[in-house]
Amino acid sequence: MSLVSKIKEIEDEMARTQKNKATSYHLGLLKAKLAKFKRELIMGPSKGGASGPGEGFDVTKTGDARVGLIGFPSVGKSTLLSKLTETASEVASYEFTTLTCIPGVINYKGSRIQLLDLPGIIEGAKDGKGRGRQVIAVGRTCNLILVVLDAMKPMVHKKIIESELEGFGIRLNRKKPNIYFKKKDKGGINFTHTVAPTHLDVDTVKAILGEYKIHNADVCLRCNATADDLIDVIEGNRVYIPALYVLNKIDAITIEELDLLDKIPHYVPISAHLEWNLDELLERIWQYLSLTRIYTKPKGQIPDYNAPIVIRGGDAATVEVFCNRIHKALAKQMKYALVWGSSVNPIYFYTNTHIKHAYIRWRFREMRCLLK
C-alpha cells in the first residue's frame, strides 16, 4: 500500500471517529501516525530518486523580507506582482500562465521587500500534484504568505489552500505552542503542566510518544495544547508564518457580497487590474512583517532619512539585531546604547534591549538612539 493510500485510510478513519473524551486516546494515535506518513511523503526517499526543486524555484533571498504569492491558477497573482513591483510577469486569460518562480522587489517606506510570484497550486499539491511540493517548499522560506483568492470563486478554495499548506508543515497565523519537550536516556515519561490541560492527559501523551518510539522524555505543557500541538513540537519541522488573504477582483462583485466577505479574518479586498486598495495592502504587509526602520545619525548632523536600516521583529527587535545588520562583530564590541527622546530621560541599554523606530548614532563602542 502506498503512502498516499495509508494517509487516505487514516484520514477516513479519523472522519468516522466521534470526537469526545473517550476517543481522544485513539485520535491521538491516528494523528501521530498521520504526521509520520506525511513527513515521509514530503521528505521522499532517503537515498537517491528524490527529485530536485526544479528550474526557477531556487531564488536567492534578498531584501529585508520575503513575501510569497500562493493561490489557485488565474486568480491574479502575476497581475498583482506587476502592479506592486517593476517586474513584468506574463499575464493571460488561461490557467497556469506562470510555470516558474518570478521574483520582484517592493520598495516601501525605505525597505526592500522581495515578492515571489509562484505557480498556481491545485488540490493535492502537498502530495506532489502539479509541482505543488516545489511551490509550497518555497512558501516555507517566506516571512509572509499572501493567499490570493478570486472573489468570484467559492471561498472553499481558502480551506483547500490552508489544508495544502498545513499538510506541508506550514502553520498560518499561529504561534509556536509553548510546550517543553526533551528526550532523555532513562526515567520514563515525565508529564507536567502549568496550565490545566483539557485536550491532553498522561495516557494520550504516552501513546503519541510511543508512536515515535520515545519512552523516556520530559513534557511540560505551558499552554492548553492539543494533540496536534504536541505532534508539531515532536516533529520539530513546522514553520509558523503570518498570512494575509488577498481577495482579488472585487470589481466584479456587488457591495452586498463584499460585506459578507468582510467577515473573513486577516483579509484585504483589492482589484489588481484596476489598482484598487493596493495602498492598504502594502500597509498591511508592512504591519504583518513587523518591520522597524532605524536611521543612522552622524555626530553633529541630522539623521539620514534616505537609507534606513530595516530589521524584522517589531516589539521583539533588539539593539543586538540592529548591530548584526551592520556587522556581526559590532555587537561583541559594543558596551551600551544610549536612548533618548522628548518623553523619556536618557537611558542606557545593552544589546539585548528592545528598540522601536529610532534614530541611531554610533561611534567607537557607544550607540545613541533617539526614539521617533
Side-chain angles (χ1 to χ4, degrees), residues 8-228:
K8 182 67 167 58
E9 184 178 332
I10 293 177
E11 288 176 343
D12 292 341
E13 186 175 352
M14 289 176 62
R16 292 192 302 266
T17 305
Q18 293 183 351
K19 294 181 175 67
N20 53 55
K21 195 171 182 179
T23 60
S24 60
Y25 178 90
H26 179 60
L27 285 173
L29 278 176
L30 292 178
K31 289 178 179 178
K33 291 180 180 179
L34 185 62
K36 287 177 60 180
F37 288 147
K38 285 185 176 180
R39 181 186 60 200
E40 293 177 15
L41 186 64
I42 292 171
M43 300 303 292
S46 57
K47 294 183 180 179
S51 60
E55 181 184 355
F57 284 75
D58 187 13
V59 181
T60 303
K61 195 170 185 178
T62 61
D64 303 306
R66 170 179 277 194
V67 178
L69 297 172
I70 292 181
F72 280 92
S74 298
V75 294
K77 299 187 296 298
S78 299
T79 303
L80 184 59
L81 176 78
S82 301
K83 298 294 183 180
L84 294 180
T85 70
E86 297 178 354
T87 304
S89 182
E90 184 180 356
V91 178
S93 58
Y94 54 86
E95 294 187 347
F96 296 104
T97 308
T98 303
L99 300 176
T100 185
C101 178
I102 302 176
V105 177
I106 302 173
N107 295 296
Y108 186 68
K109 291 185 178 182
S111 66
R112 291 174 55 83
I113 303 172
Q114 186 181 46
L115 185 64
L116 301 181
D117 179 17
L118 297 168
I121 64 173
I122 59 176
E123 190 171 2
K126 64 179 183 295
D127 301 326
K129 294 182 179 179
R131 304 181 76 181
R133 290 189 198 174
Q134 298 168 13
V135 174
I136 302 178
V138 176
R140 288 176 62 94
T141 67
C142 295
N143 304 116
L144 173 68
I145 290 178
L146 298 183
V147 179
V148 185
L149 303 169
D150 190 335
M152 297 184 294
K153 301 279 180 72
M155 284 298 105
V156 70
H157 286 184
K158 174 177 176 289
K159 291 291 184 182
I160 294 174
I161 293 175
E162 289 174 343
S163 175
E164 297 300 323
L165 297 178
E166 185 93 3
F168 213 79
I170 299 177
R171 304 293 181 257
L172 299 180
N173 294 320
R174 286 167 53 184
K175 293 184 178 180
K176 185 176 181 179
N178 193 358
I179 300 175
Y180 174 79
F181 170 72
K182 184 178 181 181
K183 297 180 184 178
K184 55 186 182 181
D185 296 330
K186 57 183 179 180
I189 303 297
N190 181 25
F191 176 66
T192 58
H193 53 83
T194 59
V195 179
T198 60
H199 306 290
L200 291 172
D201 53 25
V202 179
D203 294 334
T204 305
V205 171
K206 288 183 177 180
I208 293 174
L209 293 175
E211 189 63 34
Y212 287 90
K213 295 180 173 56
I214 299 174
H215 305 290
N216 300 284
D218 291 330
V219 179
C220 180
L221 302 184
R222 295 168 180 164
C223 62
N224 190 14
T226 62
D228 293 322

Side-chain angles (χ1 to χ4, degrees), residues 250-290:
I250 59 171
D251 54 299
I253 62 175
T254 64
I255 296 296
E256 291 75 13
E257 291 173 326
L258 187 60
D259 289 337
L260 291 175
L261 296 173
D262 190 53
K263 299 178 181 179
I264 301 174
H266 310 288
Y267 104 112
V268 180
I270 67 163
S271 174
H273 176 65
L274 300 178
E275 300 185 15
W276 289 359
N277 210 32
L278 295 186
D279 291 339
E280 182 183 351
L281 175 60
L282 288 173
E283 183 61 30
R284 294 288 292 277
I285 290 174
W286 176 271
Q287 294 174 2
Y288 274 62
L289 285 173
S290 299

